[in-house]
Amino acid sequence: MESTITFNIKKPSGEICPAIKNKIDCLTKPLGSLGRLESLALKIGTIQQTLSPTLRNPHNILFAADHGVIEEGVSVSPKEVTWQQLSHFSKGGAGINFLCNQHGFKLVLVDAGVDYDIPTGRGIIDCKIRKSTRNFLHGPAMTEDEFRLALRRGSEVVEDVFKSGCNVVSFGEMGSGNTSSSSMWMHVFTGIPLADCIGAGAGLDQAGVKHKLDVLTRSMENYRGNGSVENLMAWFGGYEMVMAVGGMLKAAELRMVIIVDGFIMTACMLAASRLYPDVLEYAVFSHQGDESGHKLLLRFLEAEPILNLGLRLGEGTGAVCAYPILESAVRMINEMDSFEAVEVTKYF
């Protein structure tokens, strides 16, 4: 039996906040004139407990797995697309590849539960739990042991990148059907009506969305678990999603900055916060995506996304795309002069 994994996540001390804010306020600019850069600098400085925060060796960890519920026709994306795209990522040329190249991210690819025998030698980390989750219309997507193993393996991947000098991490995913799991997590952990949690995913038409709602409604009616956070996550989740949750929790334990991507990763952060609420203190929400439930989920979390570019690709693309804004915030607090240093009269 897989042992239960726990995390030691501590809320960053707020005692340093007045000093960070004072440093920002005394930079050569009108008070508050750099807007969101100022609040981001305050957040990153608080996470790192320093007046001179740094962002080092950024990584985007992409977990891939298949979902049994895809058998019900809830996605236009066939199951084989998961392994085909994972292979594509390993060769370069996908959306996440050009963004990682542009912004200096190392891309880490992880097979969490792809329904295919991934060839060795492609740089893909083998953390496969099983070839696809089970169909949650008829029962739990994964066992409790599989759930705990996925948490552990996601945690271990983050620990490895941390040891390489990384202190800022984003997470991506690939898995046909995973918007269905995300919608279920959103519904059970927020109470928002299921119909408002469901969108087009990879491109369902109106009839497809209606069918998806029917399948997920029946899945909820068929739920026979004990109602605990862990049980709900295991019953309706995906291996790649649970690994991402484990990765987020380990990142928070290690006091890393976590850049949250789109709808699926926001659902993962929601689930992570149901296990350890203080994980949210380490999260920066990168963007508001085009999946219909994402805006509602961000509002529920009282999260202010950095970008709104109509993105809905996943893979971590929105998180990596937003990274230069975080970098600008850190450069602001470290590279701008203070009024006192350059003998400029403080004019506010």
Side-chain angles (χ1 to χ4, degrees), residues 7 35 39 76 84 94 105 129 136 145 165 190 196 204 216 221 225 256-257 262-263 304 322 327:
F7 299 87
S39 60
V76 299
Q84 290 169 351
F105 272 68
I129 304 290
F136 62 63
D145 275 357
T190 68
D196 295 331
L204 289 171
L216 299 195
E221 291 170 350
M256 300 170 75
V257 177
F263 176 57
E304 184 182 359
E327 200 169 30

Side-chain angles (χ1 to χ4, degrees), residues 27-306:
L27 299 175
T28 51
K29 59 175 179 57
L31 192 67
S33 61
L34 280 175
R36 191 68 193 280
L37 296 185
E38 299 188 19
S39 60
L40 286 169
L42 176 61
K43 174 133 194 173
I44 297 168
T46 304
I47 289 171
Q48 298 181 358
Q49 294 288 287
T50 179
L51 275 63
S52 301
T54 59
L55 298 174
R56 299 189 308 271
N57 197 16
H59 281 59
N60 182 67
I61 302 172
L62 193 158
F63 296 103
D66 283 303
H67 292 246
V69 74
I70 200 172
E71 299 164 6
E72 303 302 325
V74 295
S75 174
V76 299
S77 177
K79 185 182 287 188
E80 62 267 21
V81 168
T82 305
W83 71 260
Q84 290 169 351
Q85 274 291 80
L86 186 59
S87 179
H88 185 199
F89 300 147
S90 72
K91 299 171 185 174
I96 191 57
N97 295 107
F98 86 80
L99 286 165
C100 284
N101 292 339
Q102 180 182 2
H103 300 306
F105 272 68
K106 181 173 181 182
L107 177 61
V108 178
L109 302 174
V110 181
D111 174 6
V114 178
D115 192 5
Y116 189 78
D117 292 316
I118 303 293
T120 59
R122 297 194 180 183
I124 298 168
I125 300 172
D126 182 8
C127 289
K128 192 190 297 286
I129 304 290
R130 182 180 183 271
K131 287 185 175 181
S132 176
T133 56
R134 300 159 188 85
N135 184 349
F136 62 63
L137 175 62
H138 306 298
M142 65 188 78
T143 67
E144 291 183 7
D145 275 357
E146 290 169 350
F147 170 78
R148 289 190 287 265
L149 182 58
L151 275 184
R152 184 179 304 280
R153 288 184 175 173
S155 166
E156 290 169 351
V157 173
V158 167
E159 192 156 23
D160 285 343
V161 304
F162 176 77
K163 289 175 181 176
S164 75
C166 170
N167 72 351
V168 54
V169 63
S170 60
F171 297 93
E173 42 62 40
M174 182 66 214
S176 298
N178 59 14
T179 59
S180 292
S181 288
S182 299
S183 296
M184 295 301 284
W185 279 8
M186 177 179 171
H187 171 63
V188 298
F189 294 135
T190 68
I192 294 171
L194 192 52
D196 295 331
C197 301
I198 292 173
L204 289 171
D205 59 16
Q206 189 173 357
V209 173
K210 184 178 180 181
H211 171 69
K212 183 176 179 180
L213 174 59
D214 174 65
V215 170
L216 299 195
T217 299
R218 287 188 286 125
S219 298
M220 193 71 245
E221 291 170 350
N222 292 341
Y223 174 66
R224 297 293 183 268
N226 61 23
S228 68
V229 173
E230 294 89 345
N231 185 261
L232 287 163
M233 288 176 66
W235 196 288
F236 296 116
Y239 296 129
E240 83 283 23
M241 294 168 62
V242 177
M243 282 195 197
V245 170
M248 290 171 176
L249 294 173
K250 176 56 71 171
E253 180 180 274
L254 295 171
R255 298 186 178 275
M256 300 170 75
V257 177
I258 304 166
I259 314 175
V260 183
D261 190 42
F263 176 57
I264 294 158
M265 288 299 105
T266 305
C268 289
M269 179 54 72
L270 168 70
S273 73
R274 286 297 180 267
L275 294 171
Y276 293 86
D278 286 340
V279 68
L280 289 169
E281 301 293 331
Y282 297 87
V284 175
F285 292 84
S286 62
H287 75 111
Q288 180 183 305
D290 244 12
E291 186 70 11
S292 59
H294 196 199
K295 181 178 181 179
L296 292 176
L297 184 49
L298 290 167
R299 185 183 301 163
F300 179 86
L301 290 168
E302 299 181 349
E304 184 182 359
I306 296 172

